[in-house]
Amino acid sequence: MSDQRSRTRTGRRPTVYDVARAAGVSTATVSFTFTKPDRVKEETRQTVLAAAEALGYVPSASARGLARGATGALGLYAFDYLLEGEASATGSAEDDAIEASLRMPDGRLFPLYADEVQRGVQLECRRRGYALMLGAGDFAQSRDVVDVAGRVDGLIAFAGAAPGETLAQLSTRLPVVELGGAVRRPGMHTVFVDQGTAMAELASHLMTAHGHRRFAYVGALSTPEFESRYAAFRNTLEAAGLPVPAPTDSHPGDDASTERVVEQLLASGPLPDAFVCSTDQEALVTIRTLRAAGYSVPAGTAVTGYDGVIAGRLSSPTLTTVRQPMEAVGREAVRILLRALEGDGSTGRDVTLPCRLWIGESCGCAADSIRH
């Protein structure tokens, strides 16, 4: 076999025809050896495997998948993070691409919540021996998510990343897990996060531990998750007989919108006791904007976030926030898909994961009292 091995090392990748020729069998026998070994005599199978090893032949994963009706891959469909004009820049010269990557990136390109969820999906796929295909596209173009679904055994999609009716239709052909959203769609699996309980604990902490009575809310109600956070905040203040601030036109990742909202709040009346933000990114921008205006955090006013991204633990002051189980969301979605693929008989599985209040310094607690 040494001559054959050296022949295939000239740059040409060995094929099923090379293995068949070396083993003295048909290409169908080679294919069956890897896809349906029970249909090949043991002696013949060993001959084929020896020839394949000598040639350095690796069977196509897609071919193996087609043979057994599976791809061995799962899909994660997220939001489209290409901003206006970004797509055309991908074809620029190498030097231009390097220069562009050295500039400060737009915050909208790095949704940290989605990053941590994706990490959980990747870790669980690796643990279970599955490949992961990532996809994103225009919400209005359902063909984008359909294209991803056609290449995988199961699909995970962030709520709002693809049309709900398209996901529901896909769920009739393969298992689909939606991350978040308002309700579970028939036939689909869903991973929810309890957005309300820890937000209510956060509002109660600000009132009872610090005596705060005047609040500002930095965040819009653009998703069901944001609506749940604000509702818990509102209900807690109402139960305490306190005035409830309205949501604002601040959007995570759009730092300019957060800066504008904070500046408007500062100009509209007395400094609030606390700024409660719907995300950590908005909270960090709020702290920066307050400092630029000459206010101290937390001595002058408290600021809190939501999500629990690592940047909040590295900031000064450290951020009081609600930690979401982002990695666990991704891992649980993979587990649900695999249970469905193994035929557990479930037509729709719902899982709700908890959040946890994490006390940092930005609410006014001393460094030595930080807890979670």
Side-chain angles (χ1 to χ4, degrees), residues 56 76 81 83 87 96 106 125 130 142 157 159 171 195 197 260 279 282 294 321 344 346 348 364:
L76 175 63
Y81 301 132
L83 302 181
D96 292 339
D106 190 310
C125 281
Y130 271 76
S142 60
S171 70
Q195 303 287 341
T197 301
R260 183 170 57 252
T279 66
E282 288 168 306
T321 187
D344 69 353
S346 174

Side-chain angles (χ1 to χ4, degrees), residues 33 191 193 204 268 281 293 300 304 306 345 347:
T33 296
V191 178
V193 173
S204 296
S268 64
Q281 189 162 353
T304 65
Y306 200 108
T347 57

Side-chain angles (χ1 to χ4, degrees), residues 113-369:
Y113 168 82
D115 293 339
E116 289 205 43
V117 173
Q118 178 180 316
R119 177 174 178 272
V121 173
Q122 290 175 299
L123 289 172
E124 194 65 19
C125 281
R126 179 192 299 174
R127 192 172 80 86
R128 302 300 187 99
Y130 271 76
L132 177 63
M133 179 177 183
L134 302 177
D138 187 346
F139 177 86
Q141 299 294 330
S142 60
R143 65 174 179 269
D144 292 329
V145 68
V146 171
D147 181 58
V148 174
R151 303 167 185 239
V152 296
D153 298 333
L155 179 69
I156 301 166
F158 285 93
E165 57 273 16
T166 302
L167 294 178
Q169 184 177 21
L170 289 172
S171 70
T172 64
R173 295 160 38 194
L174 78 167
V176 176
V177 176
E178 190 172 28
L179 304 179
V183 295
R184 179 176 65 81
R185 304 178 194 280
M188 290 174 53
H189 309 276
T190 312
V191 178
F192 294 106
V193 173
D194 178 0
Q195 303 287 341
T197 301
M199 174 59 93
E201 293 176 0
L202 172 60
S204 296
H205 173 78
L206 292 173
M207 290 186 294
T208 58
H210 301 286
H212 294 325
R213 293 294 180 267
R214 291 182 294 108
F215 294 87
Y217 192 84
V218 179
L221 308 185
S222 53
T223 70
E225 288 76 15
F226 293 150
E227 291 176 356
S228 296
R229 294 173 200 179
Y230 179 75
F233 169 72
R234 180 194 64 221
N235 293 341
T236 305
L237 265 59
E238 288 178 344
L242 298 178
V244 179
T248 53
D249 190 29
S250 171
H251 299 277
D254 185 356
D255 292 357
S257 72
T258 304
E259 291 171 357
R260 183 170 57 252
V261 161
V262 175
E263 289 168 353
Q264 290 170 348
L265 289 169
L266 292 175
S268 64
L271 183 68
D273 296 335
F275 288 79
V276 175
C277 303
S278 65
T279 66
D280 286 348
Q281 189 162 353
E282 288 168 306
L284 295 172
V285 174
T286 296
I287 292 174
R288 184 183 70 199
T289 306
L290 288 168
R291 284 177 171 167
Y295 296 99
S296 174
V297 178
T301 182
V303 176
T304 65
Y306 200 108
D307 281 337
V309 300
I310 189 64
R313 298 174 65 179
L314 300 176
S315 66
S316 179
T318 55
L319 191 62
T320 293
T321 187
V322 171
R323 171 69 178 175
Q324 292 205 73
M326 293 171 276
E327 180 184 318
V329 167
R331 286 184 179 273
E332 186 59 35
V334 173
R335 295 179 188 128
I336 290 174
L337 283 185
L338 296 188
R339 284 195 292 267
L341 290 170
E342 292 166 0
D344 69 353
S346 174
T347 57
R349 182 186 297 273
D350 296 341
V351 175
T352 300
L353 302 177
C355 291
R356 177 174 295 172
L357 176 61
W358 198 92
I359 304 298
E361 300 166 327
S362 67
C363 64
C365 286
D368 59 2
S369 67

